[in-house]
Amino acid sequence: MLSFIAQRLVKAVIILLAITVMNFLLIHSAPGDPALVMAGEAGEADPTFIADLRERFGLDQPLYVQLWRYVSNVAQLNLGYSYRQEEPVLTLIAERLPATLILSLSAFVISLGLGVLAGVVAAARQGRWSDSLISAVALLFYATPLFWLALMAVLLFSVKLGWLPAFGYLTVGSDLTGLARAFDIFKHLILPATTLGLFVMAVYVRMTRASMLEVSRLDFVKTARAKGLRPGLILRRHVLRNALLPVVTLAGLQAGQLVGGAVLIETVFAWPGIGRLMFEALQARDYNLLLGVFVMSAAMVLLFNLITDLLYRVVDPRIRLTS
Amino acid sequence: MQQSQTTAAEMAATPVLSISDLRITLPEGADRPYAVDRVSFDLFPGRILCVVGESGSGKSMSANAMMGLLPEGVRAASGRITLGETDLLKLPEEAMYQVRGRRIGMIFQEPMSALNPLMRVSAQIEEVFEAHGLLGPAARRARALELLTEVGLPDPERAARSYPFQLSGGQRQRVVIAMALALEPEVLIADEPTTALDVTTQAQILELIQTLQRDRDMAVMFITHDFGVVAEIADHVAVMQLGRVVEEGDAESVLTRPQHPYTQKLIAAIPTLSARGDTAQARAPLMTVEALCKTYTLGGGLFRKVKRVEAVKDISVTIGRGETLGIVGESGSGKSSLGRCLVRLQDPESGRILLEGEDMAALEGKALRAARRRVQMIFQDPYASLNPRIRVGRAIADGPIAYGTDPRQALERAAELLEIVGLGAGAANRFPHEFSGGQRQRIGIARALALEPELIVADEAVSALDVSIQAQVLDLLAELKQSLGLTLVFITHDLRVAAQICDRVMVMQKGRCVEIGTGAEIFETPKDPYTRSLIEAIPGRAYEAGRA
Amino acid sequence: MKDFAKSFARNRGAVLGIVILVLVLGLTLAAPLLFPRSPWSIVQRPFLPPLSVPGFPLGTDTLGRDLASGLAHGAYVSLMVGLISTVVSLAIGVPLGAAAGYFGGWVDDGLMRITEFFQVIPAFAFAVVLVAIFQPSITSIVIAIALVSWPPVARLLRGEVMSLRTREFIEAAELSGQSGLTIIWRQILPNTLSPVIVLASMMVATAILTESALSFMGLGDPNVMSWGYMIGAGRTVIRQAWWISFFPGLAILLTVLAFNLIGEGLNDVLNPRLSKRRS
């Protein structure tokens, strides 16, 4: 188990390094002076900043020296400086990371929980109206632009009904502490997390349903029926557990979608996470910050992947016992 | 009408379960309206009824009806299935839970997939008690262990803790049997329980089923397509064809004095173990295999250990022109790997394959292509061996075209070949899915012949076919071999088939050749203990001796 | 082919998808005729609600531009970006996946490492970075979407080819002297066609969603009107003027739904095993 985790961590580090190299190449293949690209629109005005950049990245040096400097900087967690926000990129990200983690983890739980539940119900009632309804709703969410869904949720639940706060992480100007503060955050979290969760959920519904139907035709299910087991028990113990394996794999693959979705959701709901930070970086043409956020979101995807891989090993004895 | 054939003593005994006038309808659009049509038979305590038939005869469907486990869209339209006093067909689903597992147990064909891969063996047995609300958790566990001991698993305690993937096919089948017998049912249904197993394992499982059945005075319905198995274990036999029971009676009379033409045809189609005669002939060598080795490496990588499997170990053999060499062995013996090395679908690791002096094992590229033309292959699975999207004529012509024959000529020749294998030239314009398994195998033969090879390797070429079709394809092969002067390497797990068609036989075990000799030497005076155990394990040998 | 059309037509969802798609296509083609003026031009007073002034059924946006015109002209970008980026990602994914699956060994290892790499990069964030750095334009958007969406194609192809590779008819073709390329082209690829078609129709849907999300983030091509841009422009005034965001979003939803429905329909028809299970 430990060696498995170690192996995965080594792989994750390699991937992050590769992404860093790719970022470097992107900056250099972008139209224009790399220093200007990195500084962004705001920095262009300030010659000392540009000079500082040239100096730090050795932009007059050969490319491989520059690459080495860039990568070794990132390896030391030095993601550069955001001129616009006048803070190191890492500091900015660290400030925003908790909000994003809360959001994406809640959305992950909501999507997986609801998705599997709905998929199981649909499969168990295959061909009946509840199956059709669930499948139709899943298809609809699957086709909805996430940011639009979020806007419509704001329109309905905040503007029209006034049930939930529409923007931010905490009520502005409030000075809450302890439980009251947690509850305030929770109230702000409901809309963004649910919207993101529902959007990602659609995939799990479809996968769970298909996988349940696939498994229920396998021989061992017939064995279970021949033993005199009741349908409910067969469904839970035999079909569901086996059907969940591909769903867990999918959850790993979907992590990227979750993180990407978080960017859009945070933008709409002004949720102060790294997604919102990305949007701010875009608007300010602050590429250094943009790339920093990008590397960090890739790291988050790798983390989700690791979690699902571990989950898979827990569920499937064949993987656990043979490696 | 069948009642008259059972003896008076049995008429006196009361059946535990009897099926009468059972009719099972197939969904609309199926090839016939009834899967099972007015079928009747009785199961008596302490007796084994073998239901024999080819695929699609409705034998499994009857078993599923008894369990109330018919597939969707299929239902029992009329008739009765009486277990004791109750008609199972009228029983509400709720009451059927009490019957399944408790009064009727069932075992299946595929031991590899009959167990839940994610649950420990013990838990899967304990579940039977749980389903019927019997015993406490500790007692269930103890009973499961007892059952595993009873079905003869070598290390029951370890087996109980294992997951299915850690057990072999035979061991898994024992676990399935343990589950089916957990609640001591009055009736056991066994649906082709040994078909997927090797012959020696099959013999053990058959013996186990017989012992358990005698000890418990259980009624057994044993579904099989293999008359050898029937001869080995049956007390009664019911022969089914296209949903009907065409003949029924005690085993002795059905096997020795079959009345219905279909039964007669089936029994006549069984290959016999008696070896063919022409062995003394001296032949010029066509292919000489020298010290051939093939090792597979599995896995491997930065953090994993490489697993090595020696599939073929130091095999040397000479194949004479015009000869049929049989290669027999159980699964994992390396017989298929050897065959695939001979045609260079796999690259041997070391050793030589001399095709009239030229080492095929060392050839690459163009030279290999040229040599390969002389050695072709017939494959096992008639459904996987033809590209579903290519017309049959074109599939046959593809080879010659690749070697530069004019496409029109090649297609004409393909049509001729289809005539030769008995399908008619019209078949050329049709797609594979329009043909049955046996017909597809004929197409496969035509394709192999298209390149006018000297040597053909047939890898389990008749294993997937029903016995009557199997006989026809074997006849065709023998005939073609004669008329075209072919040399055949015939790979099979079925010793009877090997005996019928081969001049010489090589027996393989774990990659090695344990014995090689003429058919008579191998089947009549086997020297190696492994060969002997293989031959002894063949079901129905006593019956065959009586028949000869 | 006739059977194909027949069983496809029996699938109600698929027919609905086709109908929506035809409507959207019609809208795209008719846009220059229906709304000859540029969708960017200011034609009325801003914040005009739908149906309040004749000739402007969907009202106007924050600057007084005709929303109906924007909707009609925006369809073009969605469809074009969706289709072209899918074609490009097929062009990347199919050969890579086929090569990995057919040759196996180190070719497979290498290609799959690359695929895995592109798969763990969060797709949308990567697309944002690409478009931002190379400046927003139709071309950069298409390339960005293609770059983030080819890995599933490669994986699908690899899986299909690997399973076909061990099928006996491929070995038979090898034995009958056909070359590797002939085998891939004639024997293997035609058999992977149906899952690829199904995947492609789903990919068009995803690409349309991604394009709209990019435009919404302000990364759309500044020279063409797009649905995502329209929603983005209405975002901050959602409290006062819901319609500015609502209609373009609905248009995206319907178009994407159409491609998904068609994909499902194709799946049912082309993979009979699955469709049997449904009935």
Side-chain angles (χ1 to χ4, degrees):
Chain A
M1 191 67 148
L2 277 176
S3 88
F4 170 77
I5 296 179
Q7 180 189 338
R8 275 324 172 88
L9 287 178
V10 170
K11 202 170 167 188
V13 169
I14 294 173
I15 289 175
L16 286 177
L17 280 180
I19 290 179
T20 313
V21 173
M22 193 178 67
N23 282 346
F24 174 82
L25 296 175
L26 278 180
I27 292 171
H28 281 262
S29 54
D33 184 343
L36 293 183
V37 172
M38 265 189 281
E41 249 166 29
E44 277 171 40
D46 188 340
T48 51
F49 179 65
I50 302 289
D52 175 53
L53 269 179
R54 284 189 198 288
E55 167 64 27
R56 256 204 18 216
F57 292 96
L59 290 180
D60 37 5
Q61 309 260 354
L63 209 61
Y64 67 92
V65 178
Q66 297 180 34
L67 175 64
W68 173 247
R69 282 204 195 183
Y70 184 83
V71 173
S72 57
N73 269 329
V74 174
Q76 292 159 36
L77 287 181
N78 179 1
L79 296 175
Y81 190 81
S82 164
Y83 181 84
R84 188 62 184 257
Q85 312 237 10
E86 296 182 329
E87 291 246 33
V89 168
L90 191 68
T91 316
L92 286 169
I93 289 176
E95 267 171 24
R96 303 289 191 95
L97 201 56
T100 295
L101 282 176
I102 291 176
L103 173 65
S104 42
L105 276 174
S106 337
F108 184 70
V109 171
I110 291 172
S111 61
L112 204 56
L114 278 183
V116 168
L117 190 71
V120 169
V121 172
R125 314 191 149 262
Q126 187 202 2
R128 284 187 249 175
W129 68 268
S130 40
D131 173 27
S132 312
L133 183 71
I134 289 172
S135 300
V137 168
L139 195 65
L140 216 56
F141 275 119
Y142 193 61
T144 311
L146 176 59
F147 51 95
W148 183 73
L149 184 68
L151 279 175
M152 293 303 120
V154 168
L155 196 61
L156 183 62
F157 293 103
S158 307
V159 180
K160 295 272 183 253
L161 299 171
W163 289 354
L164 292 163
F167 299 106
Y169 179 75
L170 276 169
T171 308
V172 182
S174 70
D175 194 19
L176 301 163
T177 49
L179 266 182
R181 183 184 152 90
F183 184 68
D184 193 41
I185 294 179
F186 176 71
K187 258 186 9 199
H188 282 83
L189 178 66
I190 293 176
L191 268 188
T194 316
T195 327
L196 182 53
L198 284 179
F199 176 70
V200 184
M201 173 199 78
V203 190
Y204 297 126
V205 177
R206 294 154 63 92
M207 176 60 115
T208 308
R209 180 179 180 277
S211 173
M212 291 279 291
L213 293 179
E214 185 91 41
V215 171
S216 58
R217 291 178 310 131
L218 295 180
D219 286 353
F220 63 81
V221 176
K222 200 175 167 197
T223 310
R225 294 175 71 194
K227 284 197 258 186
L229 262 61
R230 273 148 209 279
L233 194 62
I234 296 179
L235 206 67
R236 275 199 309 278
R237 193 180 283 168
H238 293 277
V239 182
L240 181 59
R241 277 194 63 193
N242 282 281
L244 280 181
L245 296 181
V247 177
V248 173
T249 308
L250 182 74
L253 290 172
Q254 283 297 103
Q257 210 195 351
L258 195 71
V259 171
V263 174
L264 289 165
I265 285 290
E266 291 180 6
T267 305
V268 174
F269 288 99
W271 185 261
I274 59 170
R276 178 77 191 179
L277 194 62
M278 188 172 218
F279 182 64
E280 290 162 12
L282 267 182
Q283 292 199 309
R285 303 261 172 246
D286 188 343
Y287 292 114
N288 230 359
L289 182 56
L290 184 66
L291 290 175
V293 173
F294 175 52
V295 171
M296 192 47 75
S297 51
M300 274 179 58
V301 173
L302 289 168
L303 179 72
F304 273 107
N305 275 330
L306 183 67
I307 294 173
T308 50
D309 277 352
L310 286 173
L311 212 61
Y312 199 99
R313 288 170 65 87
V314 172
V315 200
D316 192 344
R318 286 165 294 190
I319 307 284
R320 194 169 65 225
L321 298 175
T322 46
S323 61
Chain B
M1 61 167 184
Q2 287 91 1
Q3 286 298 325
S4 61
Q5 285 168 3
T6 50
T7 62
E10 275 150 9
M11 287 208 25
T14 29
V16 234
L17 186 143
S18 66
I19 292 187
S20 54
D21 257 339
L22 180 67
R23 209 168 205 186
I24 300 174
T25 49
L26 285 170
E28 258 172 74
D31 57 344
R32 60 176 199 252
Y34 301 106
V36 167
D37 194 5
R38 281 167 298 166
V39 158
S40 304
F41 50 72
D42 296 326
L43 296 176
F44 295 94
R47 299 284 166 150
I48 298 180
L49 169 74
C50 273
V51 179
V52 207
E54 297 188 296
S55 43
S57 60
K59 50 196 197 305
S60 289
M61 227 32 126
S62 326
N64 288 333
M66 288 159 66
M67 290 297 268
L69 294 178
L70 286 172
E72 238 173 280
V74 177
R75 52 181 199 92
S78 61
R80 271 174 301 135
I81 301 177
T82 32
L83 175 67
E85 299 296 300
T86 40
D87 182 357
L88 296 183
L89 292 179
K90 294 209 177 73
L91 218 52
E93 186 62 15
E94 187 60 30
M96 270 314 281
Y97 297 130
Q98 294 304 315
V99 174
R100 289 183 203 131
R102 188 158 197 176
R103 302 193 61 191
I104 309 179
M106 188 161 180
I107 49 186
F108 304 92
Q109 174 167 355
E110 282 296 337
M112 302 317 260
S113 54
L115 295 169
N116 184 340
L118 303 184
M119 272 171 87
R120 289 180 201 276
V121 161
S122 178
Q124 301 198 43
I125 300 175
E126 289 163 37
E127 210 179 34
V128 187
F129 299 100
E130 189 194 340
H132 296 272
L134 301 170
L135 308 177
R140 286 175 194 159
R141 206 166 309 133
R143 242 339 250 148
L145 195 62
E146 278 171 37
L147 281 160
L148 289 171
T149 318
E150 206 173 341
V151 295
L153 276 159
D155 185 351
E157 269 167 46
R158 227 199 64 196
R161 281 195 311 271
S162 304
Y163 287 97
F165 78 96
Q166 294 168 309
L167 304 178
S168 72
Q171 289 172 333
R172 288 188 214 189
Q173 200 58 301
R174 285 175 195 270
V175 172
V176 176
I177 292 173
M179 276 181 346
L181 297 184
L183 302 182
E184 317 235 327
E186 298 137 77
V187 178
L188 176 71
I189 304 172
D191 189 354
E192 303 257 14
T194 58
T195 308
L197 303 173
D198 275 327
V199 60
T200 44
T201 318
Q202 161 168 295
Q204 292 162 8
I205 297 288
L206 286 180
E207 202 188 307
L208 174 68
I209 291 176
Q210 258 180 316
T211 320
L212 293 168
Q213 169 256 340
R214 267 189 228 122
D215 293 352
R216 290 159 197 244
D217 207 27
M218 205 165 42
V220 174
M221 172 177 168
F222 195 106
I223 298 170
T224 181
H225 66 280
D226 185 341
F227 266 101
V229 171
V230 175
E232 207 66 35
I233 60 164
D235 296 306
H236 303 276
V237 180
V239 182
M240 287 187 74
Q241 181 193 21
L242 297 174
R244 294 218 166 99
V245 172
V246 295
E247 180 158 2
E248 195 203 352
D250 64 287
E252 154 78 23
S253 56
V254 172
L255 287 169
T256 52
R257 295 179 301 280
Q259 302 298 314
H260 194 277
Y262 181 67
T263 318
Q264 290 165 352
K265 189 181 121 195
L266 281 184
I267 291 178
I270 312 170
T272 55
L273 202 51
S274 52
R276 288 156 21 109
D278 57 338
T279 50
Q281 233 172 302
R283 299 170 194 273
L286 175 66
M287 184 182 264
T288 308
V289 178
E290 288 176 0
L292 200 72
C293 292
K294 172 73 194 171
T295 308
Y296 296 108
T297 48
L298 302 172
L302 202 51
F303 295 88
R304 261 172 295 166
K305 248 194 265 170
V306 179
K307 214 172 136 191
R308 290 168 64 85
V309 180
E310 292 182 295
V312 177
K313 271 193 278 189
D314 197 25
I315 296 283
S316 298
V317 63
T318 302
I319 304 160
R321 194 177 274 282
E323 177 185 42
T324 301
L325 173 72
I327 301 178
V328 299
E330 298 187 294
S331 52
S333 63
K335 57 187 193 304
S336 278
S337 297
L338 175 60
R340 295 159 60 82
C341 283
L342 295 187
V343 296
R344 278 294 299 278
L345 273 176
Q346 260 161 20
D347 298 330
E349 197 168 66
S350 64
R352 302 203 294 169
I353 303 169
L354 299 170
L355 185 63
E356 290 193 313
E358 185 179 32
D359 185 8
M360 261 188 78
L363 295 181
E364 286 302 335
K366 266 195 180 155
L368 176 63
R369 265 189 79 200
R372 223 179 213 174
R373 187 172 185 162
R374 304 172 60 189
V375 186
Q376 288 294 305
M377 192 162 194
I378 303 170
F379 295 88
Q380 169 172 8
D381 184 351
Y383 291 89
S385 62
L386 293 169
N387 188 336
R389 288 173 187 271
I390 293 184
R391 284 176 209 277
V392 163
R394 176 69 205 211
I396 297 171
D398 262 343
I401 292 172
Y403 279 100
T405 311
D406 171 58
R408 257 201 28 228
Q409 256 177 19
L411 284 168
E412 273 166 30
R413 176 72 188 140
E416 279 170 41
L417 283 166
L418 283 167
E419 292 272 8
I420 293 176
V421 297
L423 285 178
N429 285 320
R430 291 155 67 191
F431 283 99
H433 68 84
E434 299 173 51
F435 297 91
S436 70
Q439 288 172 324
R440 285 173 192 227
Q441 211 53 314
R442 287 168 190 270
I443 297 168
I445 294 172
R447 177 177 55 194
L449 293 177
L451 285 168
E452 296 169 9
E454 291 153 69
L455 179 80
I456 291 185
V457 177
D459 185 3
E460 298 277 14
V462 296
S463 309
L465 305 176
D466 275 329
V467 61
S468 55
I469 311 290
Q470 180 176 335
Q472 292 167 12
V473 174
L474 284 175
D475 285 346
L476 173 69
L477 272 177
E479 201 184 292
L480 289 171
K481 197 197 136 202
Q482 274 301 320
S483 57
L484 301 174
L486 288 169
T487 307
L488 266 181
V489 171
F490 198 91
I491 299 167
T492 181
H493 69 281
D494 189 332
L495 278 79
R496 291 176 194 278
V497 170
Q500 180 178 330
I501 191 168
C502 302
D503 302 314
R504 281 195 308 151
V505 174
M506 175 158 98
V507 182
M508 284 184 74
Q509 183 194 22
K510 292 179 185 156
R512 286 187 187 284
C513 163
V514 295
E515 191 168 359
I516 185 166
T518 63
E521 284 165 356
I522 297 290
F523 296 116
E524 279 147 36
T525 54
K527 291 187 197 66
D528 190 88
Y530 178 70
T531 314
R532 275 204 292 277
S533 72
L534 275 186
I535 292 171
E536 272 156 27
I538 300 175
R541 279 195 317 134
Y543 160 61
E544 188 185 299
R547 199 150 66 95
Chain C
M1 202 57 207
K2 220 189 243 163
D3 288 352
F4 172 82
K6 225 190 267 169
S7 50
F8 190 79
R10 230 178 296 142
N11 187 322
R12 265 179 295 165
V15 171
L16 178 66
I18 293 278
V19 169
I20 300 175
L21 186 60
V22 167
L23 286 178
V24 176
L25 263 175
L27 190 66
T28 316
L29 295 175
L33 300 172
L34 289 172
F35 307 98
R37 296 180 66 174
S38 155
W40 302 95
S41 52
I42 291 160
V43 291
Q44 250 289 352
R45 66 187 169 79
F47 293 105
L48 206 60
L51 298 175
S52 58
V53 172
F56 299 95
L58 302 183
T60 59
D61 71 359
T62 48
L63 299 174
R65 298 175 292 209
D66 183 1
L67 277 175
S69 169
L71 215 60
H73 286 274
Y76 166 76
V77 179
S78 288
L79 287 183
M80 197 188 60
V81 170
L83 291 172
I84 297 184
S85 61
T86 299
V87 170
V88 176
S89 43
L90 288 180
I92 306 172
V94 169
L96 286 188
Y102 186 80
F103 295 107
W106 63 266
V107 178
D108 182 27
D109 273 354
L111 291 176
M112 277 303 112
R113 287 284 139 74
I114 298 173
T115 312
E116 232 172 79
F117 173 71
F118 275 92
Q119 200 150 33
V120 296
I121 302 178
F124 183 64
F126 187 38
V128 165
V129 167
L130 283 173
V131 175
I133 287 185
F134 291 102
Q135 305 307 322
S137 71
I138 294 272
T139 318
S140 68
I141 291 172
V142 164
I143 291 174
I145 294 178
L147 272 182
V148 300
S149 43
W150 66 266
V153 183
R155 289 183 82 100
L156 173 80
L157 246 291
R158 172 179 179 266
E160 291 284 319
V161 171
M162 269 170 66
S163 87
L164 285 167
R165 181 83 185 76
T166 55
R167 292 279 277 283
E168 292 176 345
F169 70 83
I170 299 300
E171 301 192 323
E174 220 169 289
L175 278 185
S176 70
Q178 298 175 43
S179 67
L181 241 102
T182 317
I183 292 177
I184 295 185
W185 189 248
R186 257 181 63 77
Q187 313 273 1
I188 294 183
L189 284 185
N191 280 299
T192 63
L193 209 59
S194 29
V196 169
I197 290 174
V198 172
L199 180 65
S201 64
M202 301 286 187
M203 281 169 63
V204 174
T206 313
I208 292 175
L209 282 179
T210 311
E211 185 278 331
S212 69
L214 285 171
S215 300
F216 172 77
M217 299 279 286
L219 292 172
D221 188 322
N223 302 313
V224 282
M225 181 55 79
S226 77
W227 292 339
Y229 166 80
M230 293 167 76
I231 302 176
R235 177 172 76 87
T236 47
V237 293
I238 185 91
R239 283 166 193 275
Q240 303 91 316
W242 56 270
W243 60 90
I244 300 178
S245 304
F246 179 75
F247 292 111
L250 200 62
I252 300 172
L253 169 59
L254 288 175
T255 313
V256 172
L257 190 65
F259 279 104
N260 283 330
L261 285 172
I262 293 169
E264 290 218 326
L266 287 172
N267 192 37
D268 286 355
V269 179
L270 297 173
N271 301 334
R273 197 172 63 93
L274 289 168
S275 62
K276 232 179 250 159
R277 199 187 311 157
R278 271 159 193 271
S279 61

